Amino acid sequence: MELALSELRRGFDVRLANLEGQLALLFQRNELSERQLDAQTRQIGELEDRVGAIQREQVTRGHLDSRFRHTVALLSLIAASASVAVALLAAVLSR
C-alpha cells in the first residue's frame, strides 16, 4: 500500500512539474506577445504621426502654390502698370 501511494505521489509530482513547466512557457509567450503588441502599437502611432505630417505638408504645398500664382499675377500687374506709367511719362516728356 505504501509503495502504491509513493508511486501515485511520484506520478502526481511529475504531472504537476509538467503543468508548471507548461504554465511557465505560456507565461513567457504571453509576455512576448505583450511586448510585440506594445512595439506594434508604438509603430502604428509613429506611422500615424508621419501620415498626419505628410498630409499637413501636402496641404501646405498646395496653399504655397496658390500663393505663388497670386504673387506672380500681382507682380505681372505691377510690371504692366509700371510700363504704362513709363510710357505716359515718356509721352509727356516728349511734347
Side-chain angles (χ1 to χ4, degrees), residues 6 8 22-23 32 35-36 52 61 66 70 83 87 89 94:
S6 68
L8 185 61
Q22 290 175 352
L23 283 174
L32 177 63
R35 285 194 303 266
Q36 289 174 339
R61 284 184 182 164
S66 175
H70 291 306
S83 297
L89 183 63
S94 66

Side-chain angles (χ1 to χ4, degrees), residues 37-54:
L37 179 64
D38 289 342
Q40 289 172 348
T41 302
R42 193 170 37 255
Q43 286 177 338
I44 288 171
E46 290 171 0
L47 290 173
E48 287 174 346
D49 291 344
R50 289 174 63 187
V51 167
I54 288 170

Side-chain angles (χ1 to χ4, degrees), residues 6-18:
S6 68
E7 285 182 24
L8 185 61
R9 187 175 293 146
R10 186 181 63 81
F12 180 75
D13 288 342
V14 168
R15 287 188 183 100
L16 184 61
N18 188 18

Side-chain angles (χ1 to χ4, degrees), residues 64-82:
L64 288 177
D65 288 343
S66 175
R67 285 185 60 123
F68 178 74
R69 284 193 300 273
H70 291 306
T71 302
V72 168
L74 182 61
L75 289 175
S76 298
L77 182 62
I78 291 171
S81 299

